Amino acid sequence: MTSPVWQRRRAAAVSVWTAFRRERGGLVGLGVLVAVVLLAVGAPLFTDEANLDVTTAPGDPLRPPSAEFLLGTDVDGRSVLLLTVWGARVSLLVGFAATVLSVVIGTVVGLAAGHFGGWVSSVLLRFTDFFLVLPSLVLAIALSTVLPQGVATIVLAVGVTSWPATARLVRAQTLTIESRPFVERARALGGGHGHILGKHVLPSVLPLVLANTTLVVGNSIIAESTLAFLGLGDPSAVSWGSMLQTALSSGSVSAGAWWYLLPPGLAIVVIVLSFTLVGRALETVLNPRLKG
């Protein structure tokens, strides 16, 4: 038999989904995200990865869109459509992985700063402020420069530089929740730190963390594309940022090869906009006061 706690959580999830379906922008964004993720995950099923090899490129360099190559070819004769689809795999992987790392760090720091207070909060807030005043892109570039090039380095560089906003959000929400009567009652009955944080604070904080996560993913994808565009990504992996970097360095702009620049650029815009729409819709659902 399902426990009453799980029944309440299931009912809350159904209520959130019902309210989310009324947000048309959020539904459109969610539909686009699902389609892009399925396309990226299923790329090996309907495309041949061997065509990404520059030594076996099937087309001529910088051929405009045609029936054979719907989005034209790149400077090496590879299909731009194929590159865009496979580039989504790396960009989404880095975006999701870096977001998980960022949100975990920010949530732990925010919970600790809001719950324990005192010198713990002071130290953690000064640590958070240190990362806030540093330009995150500059710090990410520095990390990507000193560490070995690769996807893992990009994930680490983006993840450890984008958590302060989440930490401040979680801390503020933690302070609000811990001032409520049910938390004070649990503390008066002898509830320890683990019980209060795990049973009362964290479940109440998670909805806002989820809404914030969708926005962080979009920022992480932009950060990955920026680092790859600057030549700090994995040279052996195809991503949207590396496509733009190769197109610029190979003279595609002066050659008028718009089909090489437009697909990865539009892909970044569409995916980030979709995450933003979903995040804003979730914020509106979880905080109805935003509707006003």
Side-chain angles (χ1 to χ4, degrees):
M1 180 180 295
T2 306
S3 65
V5 175
W6 283 106
Q7 290 179 353
R8 290 196 298 268
R9 291 177 180 176
R10 184 179 302 170
V14 172
S15 176
V16 169
W17 171 245
T18 301
F20 182 84
R21 288 191 301 176
R22 301 191 187 102
E23 302 292 330
R24 294 185 178 180
L27 281 180
V28 172
L30 182 61
V32 172
L33 291 179
V34 171
V36 172
V37 170
L38 291 178
L39 187 65
V41 173
L45 301 178
F46 57 86
T47 61
D48 187 3
E49 187 178 4
N51 290 332
L52 296 175
D53 191 347
V54 295
T55 61
T56 59
D60 298 325
L62 296 181
R63 180 189 296 181
S66 61
E68 183 180 2
F69 299 102
L70 297 180
L71 295 181
T73 61
D74 70 344
V75 69
D76 297 309
R78 297 174 296 178
S79 170
V80 174
L81 177 59
L82 181 66
L83 291 172
T84 304
V85 171
W86 279 85
R89 294 170 62 87
V90 174
S91 295
L92 290 177
L93 173 62
V94 173
F96 283 122
T99 297
V100 170
L101 178 60
S102 170
V103 169
V104 168
I105 296 174
T107 301
V108 171
V109 172
L111 285 175
H115 175 75
F116 293 103
W119 67 269
V120 175
S121 178
S122 298
V123 171
L124 291 177
L125 286 179
R126 298 294 80 76
F127 186 64
T128 303
D129 291 340
F130 171 77
F131 277 89
L132 278 175
V133 298
L134 286 177
S136 58
L137 180 59
V138 175
L139 184 56
I141 291 174
L143 289 175
S144 301
T145 303
V146 300
L147 296 176
Q149 284 189 326
V151 173
T153 297
I154 297 296
V155 170
L156 181 64
V158 175
V160 300
T161 57
S162 57
W163 59 267
T166 301
R168 285 195 166 275
L169 173 67
V170 172
R171 176 182 177 272
Q173 187 67 8
T174 299
L175 292 174
T176 300
I177 293 170
E178 292 208 353
S179 65
R180 294 177 180 174
F182 68 89
V183 176
E184 296 179 356
R185 183 167 58 250
R187 187 179 289 111
L189 292 175
H193 298 302
H195 175 80
I196 293 175
L197 287 173
K199 296 293 184 179
H200 300 290
V201 179
L202 186 59
S204 301
V205 168
L206 281 180
L208 283 181
V209 172
L210 176 62
N212 181 68
T213 298
T214 58
L215 302 176
V216 176
V217 174
N219 293 332
S220 298
I221 291 176
I222 293 177
E224 183 278 331
S225 301
T226 302
L227 293 176
F229 180 76
L230 294 174
L232 299 175
D234 187 352
S236 62
V238 177
S239 69
W240 293 332
S242 66
M243 289 179 64
L244 291 174
Q245 192 271 339
T246 305
L248 182 63
S249 62
S250 62
S252 299
V253 176
S254 57
W258 56 267
W259 59 86
Y260 194 7
L261 294 165
L262 202 57
L266 285 178
I268 295 173
V269 172
V270 169
I271 202 72
V272 172
L273 178 60
S274 298
F275 274 113
T276 302
L277 290 174
V278 173
R280 296 305 182 192
L282 282 175
E283 283 185 341
T284 303
V285 170
L286 298 174
N287 188 3
R289 289 177 297 179
L290 293 176
K291 293 181 178 181

